[in-house]
């Protein structure tokens, strides 16, 4: 399909074609941020230096910005590529800095001269990097330097210097402004730290800070602002060293002793600083011991100039690294020994309410990584002690997380016991913002207040911390002088004003609907406007009718079906909480959550309730027991749908595979590495192994911070697992350990593999095959033939279809009846069409692998795990679902362990062995109801088959099928575990000595 270029790009292409002599069909361009990319191609690859020579001569005579539109940002650099037509990769690439064209010309001329002498060594002028030019403080050079990183994201950069005068100061200072323009709104949390690191690495002088302004092209207001502290790292080190920070002192002394090739380590014991001087680099142990006189000559004046707070003296040692005894020792008193003002420790000063000491201690607490603070500026703290409240603002290039900051700060202030402070208010924001993103507060003592406190205003920079709050008159105060009559009069006036405002708003709304009109109104309505308004009115009525019908249908379904459980595992005893892996939540909060989640239904507190934990009515033989389980996590279904819709990868015709893959890719992008353990398999894996419980239990066994993800897919067979592991995921995306959780029916080659058939007919499968055929190791290509029926292939989903699907899912999440549409259809068939009851082998609400949960409960969390709280009760279950014997079960139809499924298993085993990935297969638990004689025979055959395979050193088989056949509370249906059973399986696996858990 031919693409029509915009006029500005047409003029650019024509100009490049005239300059290089290459036909316009052989020139392609792309503008990205401040970069211009030019691709030159022909029947033979254009000569590099000749093409560059022609292009550079034209660039010397032409301003590129004149060939682009006014909306296009300035072009800082040009990337020129050359390739032969039909090839996918360019043969050469050259970057041209437009501010150094003359030097590029000299370089190209030298290269052409070298070509004439049959030499391929280019020489000539030295091209200065943008970073070197930016260090000089030139704003244009700074913009070019930043654009090297941001242009690849489609963000253009412009820099300016503006004079800035702080409040209550007559001194004007230079402030660096960086303007970032893009066609979309980039996330500040993604750009903040990289920009801060690059600006601070320049070590600019004369700029106390920089302001980053992000703005969408065409918009008038900025999208977001960011302030970057440009305080040099050595100044930051001296500030902390002044307060006696040992790490900062050691870093400063190492820098000043770098000329002597001496490294410094320091420790503080009581009020004495111990400084150890060792050779900076001594891998062979042959470097000489640092010279005492030379070291003391540098260290002594430095420590006297720093005058560390609360440190009375220093002992200096000289030795080799690893020696137990120093070669020499010296001791010297510090200024704190002579001047009492320096003798008090920062902690003692903070206990007296010294704000500077509190700020230092808080910043040191919140910035444990000194390198990160020097690199990005770290988390900055501002204080305001107002009345009896201590307000603390924490800001950073990326807004500090409330969960990581708030409790640390409040606990520290509580320990100080500052006189006159009865409450703490903590705020978090992105540096440069005036308003906080979040706030947190505690009262250290009981405080009497009439109205909530107002949030104080904090300055954007630390230079005018005194201008932090609003006027004193705006502070809410207690008014004991007010009488009851005065308060009632005030409330009456407010209520009357509110009623008048509401009446006016209602009147305006009714007139706007065109259903009502004022009696004195005589003007004729505009026919066009009348038509639009009438359409809006009838559209609104139709929407209301739709919503009302949806509500009525949802109410009908709520009365005809039992309520699904939302919260379980409310354990009242402390012993049960200690035995479980759940986090220690307040039992009262759990009860509140339980009561609030059930709507208007009241649950009695007595133990003899008629509902069990899964909200099914108890039978005579049921027991009211509380089972242990990991806490429920945030649902990820909506996120997965959105990520799958936005993904550039075509669909695999299996929605759950698309969504699980999208969640997995998001996890990889967030952590930067694959999980340590990957759970894979069918719905038995999806519901049967809890990643959170597994990770937490592993931590108690000496395996901390093990990252686990559940990649279970409903209906997954060995062929599906083989395809996902070997074709969908890259080798770099695979874990150290794969837990394959499933059973015999996943390896039955006699039945029709519906799930893999759907995948094999998808566009995603085609792309995976093409990708495998282009990779050098073609042996990983799947050997299973693709179905021969091309008519059943689904077309690739375009962007419009993806947005449409996303909107459908969003509306479905709001609707009360959409999730139960299958039951509504069945109800209408039963009561309106009088079809009667038809017995079938499988329930209409079941998937191909025996899924018996409502679609309303199919919501995985961000670990890919599907937690179901429902407990299997045979008496209730078989009222809704037919009891299918094993000889009529399609999952065991023509049961055969050889064939295509065995081939897939062997390929997985060979692949994991080549990638040095441990493979563990877990035969998941089943109920006694499920294991009738037919299924038990097949299961025994499967176990023998697996035990033969277990002789492979890279394959481990663990059998849990007969673990809890009578404990129905661990199952959601006859063959699937619920979250309580998943919790127990996770504990069982952790204690299994045969599983080689990865060690970090």
């Amino acid at each position: 399909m031919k693409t029509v270029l915009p006029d500005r790009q047409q003029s650019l292409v024509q100009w490049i074609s005239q300059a290089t002599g290459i036909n316009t069909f052989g020139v392609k361009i792309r503008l990205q941020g401040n970069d211009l990319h030019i691709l030159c191609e022909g029947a033979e690859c254009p000569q590099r230096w000749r093409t560059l020579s022609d292009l550079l001569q034209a660039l010397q005579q032409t301003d590129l910005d004149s060939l682009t539109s006014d909306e296009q940002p300035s072009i800082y650099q040009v990337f020129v590529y050359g390739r032969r037509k039909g090839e996918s990769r360019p043969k050469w690439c050259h970057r041209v800095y437009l501010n150094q064209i003359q030097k590029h010309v000299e370089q190209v001329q030298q290269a052409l001269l070298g070509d004439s002498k049959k030499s391929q060594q280019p020489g000539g002028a030295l091209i200065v990097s943008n970073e070197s030019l930016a260090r000089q403080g030139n704003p244009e050079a700074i913009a070019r330097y930043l654009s090297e990183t941001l242009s690849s994201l489609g963000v253009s950069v412009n820099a300016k210097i503006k004079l800035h005068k702080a409040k209550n100061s007559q001194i004007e200072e230079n402030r660096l402004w960086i303007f970032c323009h893009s066609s979309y709104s980039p996330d500040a949390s993604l750009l903040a730290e990289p920009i801060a690191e690059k600006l601070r690495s320049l070590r600019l002088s004369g700029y106390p800070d920089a302001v980053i302004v992000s703005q969408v092209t065409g918009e008038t207001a900025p999208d977001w602002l960011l302030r970057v502290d440009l305080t040099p790292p050595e100044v930051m080190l001296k500030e902390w060293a002044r307060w006696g920070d040992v790490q900062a002192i050691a870093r400063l002394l190492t820098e000043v002793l770098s000329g002597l090739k001496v490294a410094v380590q320091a420790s503080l014991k009581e009020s004495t600083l111990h400084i150890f001087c060792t050779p900076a680099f001594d891998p062979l142990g042959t470097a000489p011991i640092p010279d005492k006189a030379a070291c003391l000559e540098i260290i002594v004046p430095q420590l006297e100039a720093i005058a560390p707070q609360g440190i009375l003296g220093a002992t200096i040692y000289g030795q080799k690294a690893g020696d137990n005894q120093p070669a020499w020792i010296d001791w010297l008193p510090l200024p704190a020994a002579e001047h009492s003002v320096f003798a008090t420790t920062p902690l003692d000063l903070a206990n007296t309410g010294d704000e500077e000491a509190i700020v230092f201690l808080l910043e040191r607490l919140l910035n444990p990584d000194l390198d990160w603070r020097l690199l990005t500026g770290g988390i900055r703290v501002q204080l305001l002690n107002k009345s009896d409240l201590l307000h603390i603002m924490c800001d950073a290039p990326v807004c500090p997380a409330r969960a990581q900051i708030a409790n640390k700060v409040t606990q520290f202030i509580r320990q100080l016991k500052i006189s006159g402070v009865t409450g703490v208010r903590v705020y978090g924001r992105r540096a440069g913002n005036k308003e906080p993103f979040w706030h947190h507060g505690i009262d250290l003592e009981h405080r009497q207040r009439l109205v909530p406190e107002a949030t104080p205003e904090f300055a954007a920079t630390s230079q005018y911390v005194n201008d932090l709050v609003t006027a004193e008159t705006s502070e809410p105060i207690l008014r004991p002088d007010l009488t009851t009559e005065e308060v009632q009069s005030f409330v009456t006036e407010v209520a009357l004003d509110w009623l008048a405002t509401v009446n006016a708003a209602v009147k305006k709304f009714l007139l706007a609907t065109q259903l009502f009109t004022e009696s004195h109104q005589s003007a004729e309505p505009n026919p066009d406007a009348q038509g639009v308004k009438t359409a809006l009115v009838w559209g609104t009525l139709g929407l209301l009718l739709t919503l009302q019908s949806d509500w009525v249908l949802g109410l009908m379904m709520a009365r005809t079906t039992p309520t699904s459980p939302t919260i379980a595992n409310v354990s009242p005893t402390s012993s049960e909480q200690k035995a479980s892996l759940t986090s220690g939540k307040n039992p009262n909060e759990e009860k509140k959550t339980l009561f609030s989640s059930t709507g208007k239904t009241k649950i009695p507190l007595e133990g003899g309730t008629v509902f069990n934990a899964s909200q099914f009515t108890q039978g005579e033989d049921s027991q009211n027991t509380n089972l242990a389980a990991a806490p429920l996590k945030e649902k990820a279904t909506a996120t997965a749908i959105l990520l799958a819709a936005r993904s550039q990868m075509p669909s695999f015709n299996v929605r759950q595979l698309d969504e699980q893959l999208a969640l997995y890719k998001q996890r990889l992008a967030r952590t930067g590495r694959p999980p340590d353990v990957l759970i894979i398999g069918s719905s038995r894996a999806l519901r049967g192994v809890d990643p959170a419980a597994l990770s937490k239990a592993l931590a108690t066994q000496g395996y901390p911070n093990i990252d686990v993800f559940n990649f279970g897919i409903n209906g997954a067979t060995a062929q599906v697992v083989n395809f996902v592991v070997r074709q969908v995921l890259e080798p770099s995306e695979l874990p150290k350990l794969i837990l394959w959780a499933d059973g015999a029916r996943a390896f039955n080659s006699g039945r029709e593999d519906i799930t893999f058939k759907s995948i094999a007919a998808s566009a995603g499968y085609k792309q995976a095959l093409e990708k495998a055929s282009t990779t050098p190791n073609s042996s990983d290509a799947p050997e299973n033939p693709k179905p021969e029926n091309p008519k059943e292939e689904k077309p690739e989903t375009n962007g419009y279809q993806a947005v449409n699907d996303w909107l459908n899912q969003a509306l479905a999440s709001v609707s009360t009846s959409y999730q139960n549409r299958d039951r509504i259809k069945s109800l209408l068939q039963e009561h309106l069409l009088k079809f009667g009851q038809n017995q079938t082998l499988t329930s209409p609400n079941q998937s191909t692998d025996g899924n018996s949960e409502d679609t309303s409960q199919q919501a995985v969390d961000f670990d890919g795990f599907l937690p179901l709280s429902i407990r299997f009760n045979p008496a209730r279950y078989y009222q809704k679902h037919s009891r299918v014997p094993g000889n009529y079960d399609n999952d065991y139809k023509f049961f055969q362990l050889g064939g295509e499924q065995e081939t897939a298993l062997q390929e997985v085993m060979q692949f994991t062995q080549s990638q040095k990935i441990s493979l563990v297969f877990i035969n998941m638990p089943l109920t006694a109801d499920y294991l009738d004689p037919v299924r038990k025979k097949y299961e025994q055959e499967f176990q023998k088959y697996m035990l033969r395979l277990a002789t492979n050193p890279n394959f481990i088989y663990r059998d849990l099928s007969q673990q809890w056949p009578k404990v129905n509370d661990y199952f959601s249906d006859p063959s699937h575990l619920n979250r309580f059973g998943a919790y127990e399986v996770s504990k069982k696996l952790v204690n299994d000595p045969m599983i080689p858990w990865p060690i970090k």
Side-chain angles (χ1 to χ4, degrees), residues 719-951:
Q719 289 190 105
V720 176
V721 172
N722 179 35
F723 175 66
V724 171
V725 172
R726 296 176 56 244
Q727 301 297 327
V728 177
L729 300 181
E730 299 288 342
S732 60
E733 297 173 343
L734 292 172
K736 302 174 184 177
L737 171 64
I738 293 179
L739 296 181
W740 189 349
D742 218 313
R745 60 196 190 191
F747 295 86
N748 181 15
S749 299
R751 68 162 177 156
E752 183 183 11
D753 195 342
I754 298 176
T755 306
F756 184 73
K757 261 192 171 182
S758 299
I759 294 174
S762 67
Y765 184 82
K766 285 184 180 178
Q767 187 183 79
L769 289 182
E770 293 171 358
K771 185 177 179 182
S773 63
T774 56
T775 54
N777 185 10
S778 62
S779 62
D780 288 344
E783 299 178 3
N784 301 301
K786 187 175 62 173
E788 297 180 356
N789 189 4
K791 295 182 181 180
E792 295 181 359
E793 296 182 1
K794 295 186 179 180
E796 183 177 353
T797 304
N798 55 25
Y800 171 80
Q801 184 64 35
V803 173
N804 185 50
D805 293 342
W806 177 78
L807 288 174
N808 286 339
Q809 294 296 331
L811 293 175
S813 63
V814 177
S815 171
T816 59
S817 62
Y818 180 84
Q819 297 171 344
N820 295 315
R821 59 190 184 279
D822 291 336
R823 292 188 177 181
I824 293 174
K825 188 188 301 182
S826 300
L827 196 64
L828 290 174
Q829 290 176 346
E830 179 180 355
H831 294 282
L832 299 181
L833 302 179
K834 304 296 184 182
F835 278 169
Q837 297 181 350
N838 296 324
Q839 296 294 330
T840 58
L841 291 180
T842 57
S843 170
N845 289 328
Q846 287 180 292
S847 65
T848 57
D849 60 346
N851 177 15
S852 62
E853 281 297 315
D854 293 342
T855 56
S856 62
Q857 296 181 359
Q858 302 293 330
V860 299
D861 58 25
F862 281 93
D863 290 330
F865 174 60
L866 178 59
L868 299 180
S869 299
I870 187 172
R871 306 188 195 184
F872 173 55
N873 185 328
R876 296 283 300 177
Y877 181 85
Y878 292 117
Q879 289 180 6
K880 297 168 56 179
H881 307 288
S882 301
R883 185 187 293 270
V884 182
N887 50 353
Y888 291 102
D889 190 345
N890 286 331
D891 289 333
Y892 293 89
K893 186 177 181 181
F894 306 121
F895 189 79
Q896 176 188 351
L897 289 176
E900 55 192 13
Q901 304 296 349
E902 182 183 25
T903 302
L905 172 60
Q906 294 293 339
E907 290 177 357
V908 173
M909 293 171 60
Q910 294 173 8
F911 178 76
T912 53
Q913 186 170 5
S914 66
Q915 298 293 327
K916 297 181 179 179
I917 300 173
S918 300
L919 179 62
V920 178
F921 185 87
I922 304 154
N923 194 14
M924 297 296 285
L926 295 166
T927 62
D929 277 71
Y930 185 80
L931 288 173
D932 61 7
V934 174
R935 292 192 183 99
K936 188 174 293 185
K937 171 188 171 185
Y938 292 144
E939 289 292 331
Q940 291 172 354
E941 182 181 344
F942 174 70
Q943 289 182 26
K944 293 178 182 178
Y945 171 74
M946 279 293 168
L947 289 173
R948 289 197 302 269
L949 292 176
T951 56

Side-chain angles (χ1 to χ4, degrees), residues 577-839:
Q577 292 177 350
K578 291 180 181 178
S580 70
L581 295 176
T582 56
S583 58
K585 293 185 178 179
N586 187 349
N588 294 329
E589 294 179 359
E590 293 186 354
K591 289 180 180 178
K592 291 179 182 177
T593 307
L594 176 62
F595 293 147
S596 62
S597 66
T598 55
K600 297 182 179 180
T601 305
K602 295 184 179 180
I603 301 178
L605 297 177
E606 294 81 15
T609 174
V610 295
F611 289 92
N612 60 16
S614 63
Q615 294 189 359
F616 282 109
T617 54
Q618 295 182 351
E620 295 179 357
D621 56 343
S622 60
Q623 297 179 356
N624 186 15
T625 58
N626 292 313
L627 301 179
L632 291 171
K633 302 181 71 174
E634 181 183 359
K635 301 301 182 185
T637 301
T639 303
I641 293 172
L642 185 58
L643 289 173
R646 291 179 176 176
S647 175
Q648 299 298 322
M649 184 179 297
S651 173
F652 290 101
N653 285 356
V654 176
R655 173 181 162 185
Q656 193 167 34
L657 173 56
D658 295 338
E659 295 175 5
Q660 290 285 74
L661 181 60
L663 287 177
Y664 190 74
K665 294 286 187 181
Q666 183 197 43
R667 172 76 68 92
L668 294 175
R670 179 170 55 84
T671 61
R673 60 180 180 82
D676 302 297
V677 179
L678 181 68
I679 302 161
I680 199 166
S682 65
S683 56
R684 297 179 70 183
L686 181 68
R687 309 182 194 181
V689 186
D690 189 343
L694 189 66
S695 179
K696 197 164 186 179
L698 284 171
T700 63
Q701 297 295 323
Y703 301 95
N705 303 320
I706 297 297
D707 189 17
V708 186
F709 188 86
N710 192 318
F711 209 116
I713 304 165
N714 283 334
T717 59
Q719 289 190 105
V720 176
V721 172
N722 179 35
F723 175 66
V724 171
V725 172
R726 296 176 56 244
Q727 301 297 327
V728 177
L729 300 181
E730 299 288 342
S732 60
E733 297 173 343
L734 292 172
K736 302 174 184 177
L737 171 64
I738 293 179
L739 296 181
W740 189 349
D742 218 313
R745 60 196 190 191
F747 295 86
N748 181 15
S749 299
R751 68 162 177 156
E752 183 183 11
D753 195 342
I754 298 176
T755 306
F756 184 73
K757 261 192 171 182
S758 299
I759 294 174
S762 67
Y765 184 82
K766 285 184 180 178
Q767 187 183 79
L769 289 182
E770 293 171 358
K771 185 177 179 182
S773 63
T774 56
T775 54
N777 185 10
S778 62
S779 62
D780 288 344
E783 299 178 3
N784 301 301
K786 187 175 62 173
E788 297 180 356
N789 189 4
K791 295 182 181 180
E792 295 181 359
E793 296 182 1
K794 295 186 179 180
E796 183 177 353
T797 304
N798 55 25
Y800 171 80
Q801 184 64 35
V803 173
N804 185 50
D805 293 342
W806 177 78
L807 288 174
N808 286 339
Q809 294 296 331
L811 293 175
S813 63
V814 177
S815 171
T816 59
S817 62
Y818 180 84
Q819 297 171 344
N820 295 315
R821 59 190 184 279
D822 291 336
R823 292 188 177 181
I824 293 174
K825 188 188 301 182
S826 300
L827 196 64
L828 290 174
Q829 290 176 346
E830 179 180 355
H831 294 282
L832 299 181
L833 302 179
K834 304 296 184 182
F835 278 169
Q837 297 181 350
N838 296 324
Q839 296 294 330

Side-chain angles (χ1 to χ4, degrees), residues 196-213:
E197 290 179 15
K198 294 186 76 67
L199 283 177
R200 288 186 56 81
S201 67
L202 296 176
R203 302 201 174 192
L204 299 172
S205 60
Y207 302 105
D209 56 11
V211 178
I212 315 298
V213 182

